[in-house]
């Protein structure tokens, strides 16, 4: 048996996943070119001029490559050994950031360091990933062994979220919720993800359809309650394994629905919402009786889902009213409730015009009219994708999408070949962050998501984002390169 290799730089670079490195390099330099195009006008200097955003981004790239090189020289064991101290240090930094950071557009998240500003939230990503990996790699740790394990994992995820929210950085805080996909990979029930998806649907439908009414109930509430009944019937069929039980439940809902309909025709003054809630309540009671009679405790999941959905439905209006005015307006614009093309909806509308005008092959490099006339604010940061769509067209946008898809799939491949739980969990954290950032950023640019200020990794202008994602990725590359080193694990 050959002797295990210690932290040998030669072996590190020999075993490095160069496919991932090449994708990373293509992205960062394509991002620099896109930033130059987004900020270009006929008086602009060279792409490499230090006073241009592209020139500044080149400096961030150079520093990022240096940081990545240093990370590769660190012993891979150090990341696991000091995972908790790193996480604690970043949490403390996040806690003191609001007291050190000036007010920048209502946010206290950027700490000035000489000629530049640093956003600690970007570095919390890799720290949280390390801490989560450390937790799951503990001896005999199993997420489903006891409920306190869930508390520990969720606490690690939510602590940075709370601290970043205190900085008034909602978008950055939401990125950490992507880590729940990691919990799913490590054994969390798919019902949790289903509940999260169901909650999103309830929120969207409940907020969007409020102006009209059906049978005396706001349309949004009516649709949600019908969805709750449908889910109850489906889950009853699955967990009871008896179609007659689900059939009886469905017939009960239909009968009560007809009663509600004929009462409305007869102008009988009975609140429609009361009948719907009564139907759900009676349905829960029926399911409980069948669960006891058939010895099917899984049926109580259908009851819990229904109660959760109803409670969430009646809480979203209160939660929505507690949002800041600009946040409510952005959500209303994204959902099509409000058309505010001059204010909250201006960015998204101009972005869609820019992307649509690009056509199949685009207008050509530096030839984008929406870009040159500065119609899209923040085009070199959060809205960098619309520059690509306008100048490179559908083909260029597709290539960028394929780059991200290739990188995420490559990281998942790396995750599945890791010999330790720590490295595997961390790798899935990296994949989750990238997937969330990419999906939400593109969704913002094309109007599918509210504008919440999430950059496109490796493309958007900014040192903190680029450094944070570089550290995040290169820690994984170091772990992967050291996976054959017995002493490293």
């Amino acid at each position: 048996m050959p002797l295990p290799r210690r932290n040998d730089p030669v072996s590190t670079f020999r075993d490095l996943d160069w496919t991932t490195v090449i994708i990373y390099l293509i992205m960062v330099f394509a991002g620099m070119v896109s930033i130059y195009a987004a900020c270009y006008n006929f008086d602009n200097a060279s792409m490499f001029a230090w006073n241009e955003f592209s020139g500044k981004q080149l400096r961030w790239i150079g520093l990022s490559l240096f940081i990545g090189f240093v990370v590769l020289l660190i012993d891979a064991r150090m990341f696991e050994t000091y995972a908790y101290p790193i996480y604690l240090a970043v949490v403390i930094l996040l806690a003191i950031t609001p007291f050190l950071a000036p007010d920048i557009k209502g946010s206290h998240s950027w700490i000035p360091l000489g000629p530049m500003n640093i956003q600690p939230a970007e570095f919390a990503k890799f720290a949280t990933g390390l801490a989560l990996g450390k937790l799951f790699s503990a001896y005999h740790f199993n997420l489903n062994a006891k409920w306190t394990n869930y508390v520990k994992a969720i606490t690690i995820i939510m602590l940075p979220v709370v601290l970043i929210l205190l900085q008034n950085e909602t978008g950055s805080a939401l990125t950490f919720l992507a880590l729940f996909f990691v919990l799913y990979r490590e054994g969390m029930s798919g019902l949790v993800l289903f509940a999260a998806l169901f909650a999103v649907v309830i929120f969207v439908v409940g907020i969007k359809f409020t102006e009209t009414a059906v049978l005396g109930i706001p349309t949004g509430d009516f649709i949600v309650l019908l969805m709750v009944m449908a889910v109850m019937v489906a889950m009853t069929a699955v967990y009871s394994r008896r179609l007659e039980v689900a059939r009886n439940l469905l017939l009960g809902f239909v009968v009560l629905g007809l009663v509600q309909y004929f009462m409305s025709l007869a102008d009988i003054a009975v609140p429609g919402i009361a009948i719907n809630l009564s139907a759900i309540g009676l349905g829960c009671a029926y399911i409980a009786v069948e669960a006891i009679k058939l010895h099917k405790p899984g049926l109580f999941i259908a009851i819990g889902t229904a109660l959760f959905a109803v409670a969430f439905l009646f809480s979203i209006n209160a939660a929505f009213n507690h949002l800041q005015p600009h946040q409510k307006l952005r959500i209303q614009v994204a959902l099509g409730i409000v058309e505010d093309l001059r204010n909250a909806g201006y960015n998204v509308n101009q972005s869609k015009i820019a992307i649509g005008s690009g056509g199949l092959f685009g207008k050509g490099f530096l030839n984008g009219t929406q870009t040159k006339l500065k119609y899209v604010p923040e085009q070199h940061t959060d809205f960098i994708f619309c520059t690509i769509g306008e100048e490179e067209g559908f083909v260029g946008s597709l290539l960028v999408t394929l780059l991200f898809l290739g990188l995420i799939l490559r990281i998942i491949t790396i995750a599945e070949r890791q010999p330790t739980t720590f490295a595997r969990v961390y790798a899935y954290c990296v994949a989750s962050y990238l997937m969330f950032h990419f999906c939400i950023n593109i969704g913002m640019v094309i109007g599918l998501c509210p504008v919440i200020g999430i950059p496109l990794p490796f493309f958007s202008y900014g040192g903190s984002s680029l450094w944070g994602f570089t550290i995040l990725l290169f820690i994984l590359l170091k772990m992967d390169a050291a996976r054959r080193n017995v002493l490293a694990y």
Side-chain angles (χ1 to χ4, degrees):
M1 176 179 175
L3 291 175
R5 298 168 302 187
R6 293 184 178 272
N7 189 43
D8 180 11
V10 175
S11 64
T12 294
F13 287 97
R14 182 175 62 245
D15 296 333
L16 199 62
D17 190 89
W18 286 101
T19 300
T20 303
V21 175
I22 291 171
I23 296 175
Y24 164 81
L25 292 174
I26 292 173
M27 283 184 163
V28 295
F29 285 106
M32 186 192 74
V33 173
S34 299
I35 291 168
Y36 177 70
C39 302
Y40 176 82
N41 57 54
F42 295 106
D43 297 326
N44 271 13
S46 165
M47 181 188 301
F48 308 104
W50 292 124
N51 60 332
E52 299 295 329
F53 282 114
S54 55
K56 294 176 183 178
Q57 186 72 1
L58 182 60
R59 279 181 283 179
W60 302 138
I61 292 172
L63 289 170
S64 295
L65 293 176
F66 175 74
I67 291 172
F69 178 76
V70 171
V71 168
L72 293 178
L73 296 180
I74 299 174
D75 194 328
R77 294 170 296 181
M78 303 292 284
F79 299 118
E80 184 172 3
T81 302
Y82 294 101
Y84 285 148
I86 292 172
Y87 176 77
L88 180 60
V90 172
V91 165
I92 293 173
L93 182 59
L94 289 175
I96 64 175
T97 295
F99 303 99
L100 302 177
D103 188 327
I104 301 177
K105 297 182 180 179
S107 172
H108 294 268
S109 59
W110 296 84
I111 298 177
L113 290 177
M116 60 183 180
N117 294 327
I118 298 295
Q119 188 177 23
E122 294 295 337
F123 304 101
K125 292 185 176 72
F126 78 84
T128 305
L130 290 175
L132 206 59
K134 180 73 172 180
L135 175 68
F136 277 90
S137 64
Y139 185 66
H140 279 176
F141 181 89
N142 186 301
L143 189 61
N144 296 309
K146 48 186 177 179
W147 66 269
T148 54
N149 289 344
Y150 274 98
V151 173
K152 293 175 184 177
I154 293 174
T155 300
I156 289 176
I157 295 172
M158 295 306 296
L159 186 55
V161 172
V162 173
L163 294 175
I164 295 171
L165 284 174
L166 293 176
Q167 303 170 13
N168 201 20
E169 274 289 336
T170 307
S172 297
L174 290 177
T175 60
F176 290 85
L177 300 183
L179 296 181
F180 280 88
F181 288 107
V182 181
L183 302 189
Y184 173 71
R185 168 60 180 82
E186 296 302 317
M188 183 180 72
S189 172
L191 286 172
V192 178
L193 291 182
F194 171 76
L197 178 61
F198 199 20
V200 172
V201 173
I202 292 172
F203 181 83
V204 172
V205 174
I207 295 297
K208 183 175 177 62
F209 303 102
T210 57
E211 300 299 325
T212 59
V214 177
L215 300 178
I217 308 174
T219 302
D221 294 357
F222 182 79
I223 294 173
V224 169
L225 292 175
L226 284 183
M227 291 169 55
V228 172
M229 295 179 195
V231 168
M232 289 175 67
V233 172
M235 296 183 78
T236 299
V238 170
Y239 288 106
S240 70
R241 298 183 183 277
R242 296 197 177 187
L243 291 179
E244 62 270 18
V245 176
R247 180 197 61 201
N248 294 338
L249 180 63
L250 177 61
L251 288 175
F253 287 149
V254 171
V255 169
L256 288 173
L258 291 173
V259 170
Q260 181 181 10
Y261 175 70
F262 287 117
M263 289 177 67
S264 67
L265 291 180
D267 292 328
I268 299 176
V270 177
I273 192 72
I275 297 178
N276 285 64
L277 292 179
S278 297
I280 292 175
L282 291 173
C284 288
Y286 172 73
I287 294 172
V289 171
E290 291 296 327
I292 296 171
K293 185 170 66 175
L294 299 173
H295 302 288
K296 298 285 187 179
L299 282 171
F300 285 102
I301 296 176
I303 298 174
T305 302
L307 296 178
F308 159 78
V310 172
F312 186 75
L313 172 64
F314 289 104
S315 67
I316 58 175
N317 288 326
F320 186 73
N321 290 331
H322 276 82
L323 295 176
Q324 296 184 16
H326 73 277
Q327 293 173 327
K328 289 195 288 187
L329 187 56
R330 286 177 177 177
I331 293 174
Q332 289 172 331
V333 169
L335 296 180
I337 302 172
V338 175
E339 188 173 302
D340 188 10
L341 300 183
R342 294 192 177 186
N343 295 301
Y346 177 80
N347 282 29
V348 174
N349 185 59
Q350 294 299 326
S351 174
K352 291 193 288 187
I353 292 173
I355 294 174
S357 66
L360 181 61
F361 296 105
K363 297 177 180 177
F365 182 58
L366 303 182
N367 290 325
T369 53
Q370 292 288 110
T371 298
K372 301 302 163 291
L373 297 176
K374 312 300 180 187
Y375 280 115
V376 185
E378 308 298 332
Q379 193 163 335
H380 62 299
T381 54
D382 298 342
F383 283 80
I384 189 67
F385 189 77
C386 71
T387 301
I388 299 169
E390 182 180 22
E391 298 194 347
E392 313 306 327
F394 174 79
V395 173
S397 301
L398 179 62
L399 289 176
V400 171
T401 302
L402 291 176
L403 278 174
F404 275 99
L405 180 62
L407 179 61
I408 293 169
L409 290 178
R410 188 64 186 172
I411 290 172
I412 293 174
T413 300
I414 291 174
E416 289 299 326
R417 72 188 184 197
Q418 296 309 305
T420 67
T421 301
F422 174 75
R424 184 185 69 243
V425 170
Y426 180 81
Y428 272 102
C429 289
V430 178
S432 298
Y433 283 133
L434 288 172
M435 180 177 64
F436 187 88
H437 266 266
F438 173 72
C439 292
I440 299 300
N441 180 271
I442 302 302
M444 283 177 6
V445 171
I446 62 178
L448 295 180
C449 299
V451 179
I452 56 176
I454 290 182
L456 186 62
F458 310 121
F459 279 84
S460 294
Y461 173 80
S464 293
S465 174
L466 183 57
W467 293 353
F469 277 108
T470 297
I471 295 172
L472 184 75
L473 183 62
F474 274 74
I475 289 176
L476 173 61
L477 291 173
K478 175 61 181 183
M479 291 180 185
D480 182 60
R483 71 185 186 278
R484 297 187 182 92
N485 187 345
V486 177
L487 291 180
Y489 297 95

